[in-house]
Amino acid sequence: NKLNRMSHRKFEAPRHGSLGFCPRRRTRHHKGRVRTFPKDDNSKKCHLTAFAGFKAGMTHIVRDVVKPGSKLHKKEIVEAVTVIEVPPMVVVGLVGYIDTPRGLRALTTVWANKLDKNTLRRFYKNWYASKKKRAFAKYT
């Protein structure tokens, strides 16, 4: 009987999730990065363009809707919200760029003279076991 025969495995038991996220385990280093920067505006003075934040989880809130003409106007609704953790940021250095015919190019880097001990610890996997603590030693 043709109807009782099994089909291909990809139809019978398709895989769950992308293989691009393998291996599925907790990371060894919880350090984010800025993936995109806003377009630079030369008319404005030098300023901070990005700030590191991490998604800590989700929760819900109860809020009043202020939307005249809507059925929900002046009523309470429950909405999902994302909690973003923003740890304190320490400036370690600045990069100066120069405009070239092919776009911006890094011209020079200026490093901080003094860094807190807790900040230096972040640059080592094992601070206690490292013999020579050389991070930013050349620049101080």
Side-chain angles (χ1 to χ4, degrees), residues 63-75:
R63 73 174 183 97
D64 291 327
V65 177
V66 182
K67 199 185 248 186
S70 171
K71 285 183 181 179
L72 295 172
H73 183 58
K74 292 187 177 175
K75 289 193 170 61

Side-chain angles (χ1 to χ4, degrees), residues 51-69:
F51 203 86
F54 305 93
K55 181 175 176 179
M58 291 190 77
T59 184
H60 61 277
I61 58 166
V62 178
R63 73 174 183 97
D64 291 327
V65 177
V66 182
K67 199 185 248 186

Side-chain angles (χ1 to χ4, degrees), residues 1 11 37-38 49 51 62 65 73 75 86 98 106 108 110 126 129 131 133:
N1 189 359
F11 301 120
F37 285 94
T49 54
F51 203 86
V62 178
V65 177
H73 183 58
K75 289 193 170 61
V86 186
I98 190 168
T108 186
V110 180
N126 193 343
K131 302 283 184 231
K133 297 173 174 56

Side-chain angles (χ1 to χ4, degrees), residues 61-135:
I61 58 166
V62 178
R63 73 174 183 97
D64 291 327
V65 177
V66 182
K67 199 185 248 186
S70 171
K71 285 183 181 179
L72 295 172
H73 183 58
K74 292 187 177 175
K75 289 193 170 61
E76 287 186 342
I77 61 165
V78 178
E79 268 189 336
V81 291
T82 304
V83 179
I84 298 175
E85 183 183 333
V86 186
M89 196 161 72
V90 177
V91 177
V92 174
L94 298 170
V95 180
Y97 292 93
I98 190 168
D99 204 4
T100 64
R102 289 183 291 174
L104 290 175
R105 177 180 68 82
L107 179 68
T108 186
T109 306
V110 180
W111 298 100
N113 284 338
K114 255 188 186 171
L115 288 174
D116 189 33
K117 187 177 177 183
N118 292 332
T119 305
L120 284 174
R121 289 176 74 100
R122 302 294 300 152
F123 294 96
Y124 291 89
K125 198 167 190 173
N126 193 343
W127 174 264
Y128 179 75
S130 63
K131 302 283 184 231
K132 298 172 185 170
K133 297 173 174 56
R134 291 185 180 167

